[in-house]
């Protein structure tokens, strides 16, 4: 089933869900020492691999991080070529003074916000969804 492309429908049905836990972004030279089933996401950059994983796993493996995030999933199945969804929610969060880091996966968009802003970010997203 293809993902939703209509922006109005995406916003109405995005149903943000706050995942439990604390998450961090780390940079590692390779993935050999990290079980990939413990990684939420990774991206290969020139400087190494950026990995997103639970704070507890990063602490266990003694990985450096500087940002502790909450993870919000938009449960609507958005099409990868949908136009405007990221702009709409990032603008709403920005207006509330909340920074966000976005990962677009095959089915859903995932938003990482400062752990301290988690509840407020969820509220902003729900208001956007119902406006």
């Amino acid at each position: 089933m293809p993902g939703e492309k209509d922006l109005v429908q995406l916003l109405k049905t995005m149903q943000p869900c706050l995942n439990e836990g604390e998450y961090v972004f780390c940079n590692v030279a390779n993935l050999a020492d990290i079980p990939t089933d413990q990684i939420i996401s990774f991206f290969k950059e020139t400087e190494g691999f950026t990995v997103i994983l639970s704070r507890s796993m990063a602490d266990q493996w003694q990985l450096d991080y500087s940002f502790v995030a909450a993870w919000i999933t938009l449960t609507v199945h958005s099409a990868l070529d949908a136009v405007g969804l990221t702009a709409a929610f990032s603008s709403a969060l920005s207006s509330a003074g909340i920074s966000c880091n976005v990962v677009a996966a095959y089915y859903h968009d995932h938003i990482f916000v400062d752990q301290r802003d988690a509840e407020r970010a969820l509220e902003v997203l729900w208001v956007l969804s119902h406006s």
Side-chain angles (χ1 to χ4, degrees):
M1 180 168 122
E4 181 63 56
K5 289 185 180 184
D6 180 75
L7 180 58
V8 172
Q9 191 63 23
L10 283 166
L11 292 172
K12 280 185 183 178
T13 60
M14 64 182 184
Q15 296 184 319
C17 175
L18 179 62
N19 297 284
E20 286 189 40
E22 296 179 319
Y23 299 89
V24 296
F25 290 63
C26 302
N27 182 267
V28 297
N30 64 65
L31 301 175
D33 297 329
I34 301 175
T36 55
D37 65 335
Q38 298 296 318
I39 297 173
I40 304 302
S41 180
F42 69 90
F43 195 89
K44 184 176 184 196
E45 299 183 283
T46 304
E47 300 83 358
F49 290 92
T50 295
V51 294
I52 305 171
L53 64 163
S54 71
R55 182 181 190 177
S56 62
M57 289 291 105
D59 290 342
Q60 179 180 330
W61 296 319
Q62 299 178 329
L63 299 175
D64 292 331
Y65 55 86
S66 60
F67 174 69
V68 179
W71 171 19
I72 298 171
T73 299
L74 302 183
T75 60
V76 63
H77 178 188
S78 57
L80 288 168
D81 59 346
V83 176
L85 178 61
T86 303
F89 69 70
S90 65
S91 179
L93 291 169
S94 177
S95 292
I98 300 170
S99 171
C100 68
N101 294 277
V102 182
V103 175
Y106 187 85
Y107 288 103
H108 308 290
D109 290 276
H110 304 273
I111 307 167
F112 294 86
V113 300
D114 191 299
Q115 183 67 36
R116 296 171 295 208
D117 293 327
E119 293 299 328
R120 199 161 52 94
L122 197 59
E123 182 179 322
V124 167
L125 294 170
W126 276 107
V127 167
L128 177 62
S129 179
H130 292 90
S131 61

